[in-house]
Every structure is written in structure tokens, then in C-alpha cells.
Amino acid sequence: MGMFRTLLQAFISPVAGPVGFILALVMCGLLLNTVYNAESREAQLQAQIARLQDQAQKNAIALHARLAACEAAPGDLPQRRADLSKLTPEQRAQRLAANSPQGFDVCARMESADRAVLETLK
């Protein structure tokens, strides 16, 4: 019962109002600061996600172009493209690796040379 009386006196005290008001202002300021920091961080992360999606799309386009270049054959190109269009990129790559077409070795050598040139430029 003594603890309840002490707590009641703390709330009734003339100092309790101003102290409570100051604490409420401090907590409001901390909350606003947290919200501002969270919004700033969210904007940064959204910008980073957009950059990564753009980079992933560019990488996918480049890989599809390389795959198409390695699959190209001078003879039956229209028929071959029709057959390959039904496959996923993963299936096309597996088929290309399994069959080892005539141009495959050339493509691998060209990519190796490209990498070597890029390494010297760094």
C-alpha cells in the first residue's frame, strides 16, 4: 500500500506535469528522428535495388547474346532457331555444352581473349 501511495504522490506532484511534458517532447523527437532515418535508408535501398536490377538485366542480355552467337551455324540457321526457341536458356546452354558444335571452341577462345584484353586494361 505504501508503494501505491508513493506512485500516486509522484503523479499528483506539481513537478510531474512539466517533467512528463518534457519527456513526451523528447520521445516525440526521438520518434521523428527514427522515422526520418528509416525513410532515408529505404530510399537508399530502393535505389540500390534498381541499380542491381538494371545490372542483372544487362548481364542477362549479354549472356543471351553470347549463347546465340555460340549456337549460330551457317547451314540450317532458320530451322535451328525455331528448334532452339522452344528451349529455356539453361537447356540451350546444356545442349550446346553436350554437342560441342563447331563454333563452340572458337567462342570459348574469343571469350578467353576478351578476358585477357580486359585484364590488361585494368
Side-chain angles (χ1 to χ4, degrees), residues 61-74:
I61 290 169
L63 289 175
H64 284 289
R66 286 182 181 173
L67 182 60
C70 287
E71 289 171 337

Side-chain angles (χ1 to χ4, degrees), residues 32-47:
L32 288 174
N33 186 39
T34 301
V35 168
Y36 174 75
N37 287 339
E39 287 177 350
S40 173
R41 182 71 176 140
E42 181 184 9
Q44 290 173 351
L45 290 174
Q46 285 178 346

